[in-house]
């Protein structure tokens, strides 16, 4: 049996979507525990959340979900609740579903999640998007936009984060690896090929061992991933690695290392 997984879901307006996402997760991982987080505010948003909570609670009754109430507009409420869950479940793999979270809550949860190596975030994307928006070529489109844009400022929130930032790459060699892979369609068929692209000699055991350690470290930090295909172990950029490489290339602050020099051709002597 694989690693037992704990899932955490916020219940808003789309419990059916949350449930469908959970069903996909359940097929991939053995589920040990389920947390359902809901809006406890005494307003209409809270009423919707609590109503949908009961629906999802019934669907997931087999897992006896743990209920956690929060104020999704309160940094301290959200941060405290999720820190408590992640700390309690720190020996498990944790998957946090942000599908139904308001933006401020999702940002807060992301900050807390980054403090725990065993926690990951996911979201469920619906097949249909924007079907409730009128055809842009009709008069109803402008009226719809005006109705949606009629909110007035209530407050401005800052999402506090730890002042010590995460260093996702440690040196310029790692940046060069990202950029090199980015310019080579995002992957190398092996570490040997990557070393060649970096202009170094893969036959040197010290160099090969060094790159193996670097790639493993970058994989742990979510920049690269390795997968076996046949006899080769392919090295690929993750979405995060791709994003960083693309940004640095577009900014003009990074470029791939120069191609290795071609080996000199042996001198040929023609005797008469």
């Amino acid at each position: 049996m694989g690693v037992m997984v704990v899932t955490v879901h916020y219940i808003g307006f789309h419990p059916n979507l949350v449930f469908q996402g959970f069903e996909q997760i359940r097929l991939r991982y053995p589920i040990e525990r389920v947390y359902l987080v809901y809006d406890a505010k005494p307003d209409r948003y809270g009423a919707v959340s609590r109503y949908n909570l009961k629906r999802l609670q019934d669907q997931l009754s087999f897992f006896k979900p743990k209920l956690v109430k929060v104020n999704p507009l309160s940094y301290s409420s959200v941060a405290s609740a999720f820190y408590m869950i992640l700390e309690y479940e720190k020996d498990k793999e944790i998957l946090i579903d942000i599908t139904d979270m308001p933006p401020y809550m999702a940002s807060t949860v992301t900050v807390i999640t980054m403090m725990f190596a065993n926690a990951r975030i996911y979201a469920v994307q619906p097949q249909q998007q924007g079907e409730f928006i009128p055809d842009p070529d009709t008069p109803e489109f402008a009226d719809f936009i005006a109705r949606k844009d009629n909110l007035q400022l209530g407050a401005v929130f800052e999402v506090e984060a730890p002042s010590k930032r995460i260093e996702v790459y440690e040196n310029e060699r790692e940046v060069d690896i990202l950029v090199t892979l980015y310019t080579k369609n995002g992957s190398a068929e092996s570490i040997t090929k990557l070393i060649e692209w970096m202009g170094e000699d893969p036959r040197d055991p010290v160099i090969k061992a060094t790159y193996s350690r670097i790639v493993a470290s970058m994989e742990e930090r979510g920049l690269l991933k390795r997968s076996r295909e046949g006899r080769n172990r392919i090295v690929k950029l993750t979405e995060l690695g791709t994003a960083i490489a693309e940004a640095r290339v577009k900014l003009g602050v990074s470029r791939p290392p120069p191609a290795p020099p071609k080996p000199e051709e042996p001198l040929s002597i023609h005797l008469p």
Side-chain angles (χ1 to χ4, degrees):
M1 180 178 290
V3 177
M4 298 300 288
V5 166
V6 172
T7 65
V8 186
H9 313 266
Y10 177 72
I11 312 305
F13 283 80
H14 306 96
N16 187 47
L17 200 58
V18 170
F19 178 71
Q20 291 178 58
F22 173 80
E23 287 290 278
Q24 291 295 312
I25 296 296
R26 186 172 65 85
L27 294 175
R28 301 178 193 176
Y29 306 102
I31 305 297
E32 177 165 330
R33 201 161 14 260
V34 175
Y35 288 85
L36 299 181
V37 183
Y38 66 95
D39 185 344
K41 298 195 313 306
D43 59 12
R44 294 184 182 183
Y45 285 100
V48 170
S49 181
R50 292 186 292 275
Y51 177 84
N52 286 332
L53 171 69
K54 294 177 182 177
R55 296 171 57 197
L56 197 56
Q57 199 175 358
D58 290 340
Q59 290 176 300
L60 299 177
S61 59
F62 175 80
F63 297 94
K64 299 178 180 178
K66 307 289 185 182
L67 307 186
V68 179
K69 60 183 180 180
V70 298
N71 175 355
L73 299 182
S74 165
Y75 181 94
S76 59
S77 173
V78 172
S80 177
F82 276 81
Y83 189 95
M84 177 186 66
I85 294 171
L86 298 184
E87 178 67 24
Y88 182 77
E89 303 288 0
K90 60 186 177 183
D91 296 328
K92 307 290 190 307
E93 289 291 324
I94 306 172
L95 295 177
I96 301 173
D97 178 7
I98 65 170
T99 300
D100 244 1
M101 290 184 186
Y104 180 67
M105 181 180 183
S107 300
T108 303
V109 169
T110 300
V111 170
I112 301 303
T113 302
M114 292 171 68
M115 302 178 189
F116 294 84
N118 60 320
R120 289 177 287 160
I121 289 172
Y122 77 93
V124 182
Q125 184 174 6
Q127 290 182 356
Q128 309 86 4
Q129 298 187 58
E131 290 191 345
F132 59 91
I133 301 175
D135 187 328
D137 295 326
T138 63
E140 289 79 9
F141 181 74
D143 293 338
F144 172 82
I145 297 297
R147 289 197 306 273
K148 297 297 289 184
D149 191 30
N150 65 351
L151 300 179
Q152 299 299 314
L153 173 67
V156 176
F157 298 102
E158 178 182 352
V159 179
E160 296 181 357
S163 57
K164 185 176 181 179
R165 299 308 185 203
I166 297 174
E167 297 290 341
V168 291
Y169 52 83
E170 296 179 348
N171 51 54
E172 286 304 311
R173 177 186 267 178
E174 293 188 356
V175 175
D176 288 343
I177 289 173
L178 294 177
V179 173
T180 296
L181 288 171
Y182 176 74
T183 58
K184 300 288 187 179
N185 295 320
S187 67
E189 64 185 25
S190 63
I191 287 184
T192 297
K193 178 58 69 174
L194 174 61
I195 295 171
E196 290 176 357
W197 287 344
M198 293 290 291
E200 301 196 55
D201 185 359
R203 295 169 297 181
D204 185 325
V206 174
I207 289 177
K208 193 160 188 178
T210 298
Y211 271 87
S212 294
R213 287 195 300 271
I214 292 172
V215 168
S217 175
M218 293 176 73
E219 185 175 27
E220 288 180 355
R221 282 175 275 130
L223 298 172
L224 301 177
K225 57 185 175 182
R226 291 176 289 180
S227 60
R228 188 169 294 282
E229 293 189 12
R231 301 176 66 179
N232 292 333
R233 197 164 190 195
I234 294 178
V235 181
K236 299 179 181 178
L237 290 174
T238 61
E239 289 192 54
L240 175 61
T242 300
I244 292 172
E246 181 177 335
R248 291 184 67 92
V249 169
K250 288 183 176 180
L251 285 170
V253 295
S254 293
R255 60 185 61 187
K262 293 182 179 179
E264 294 183 5
E265 295 184 2
L267 181 64
S268 60
I269 301 176
H270 298 282
L271 298 176

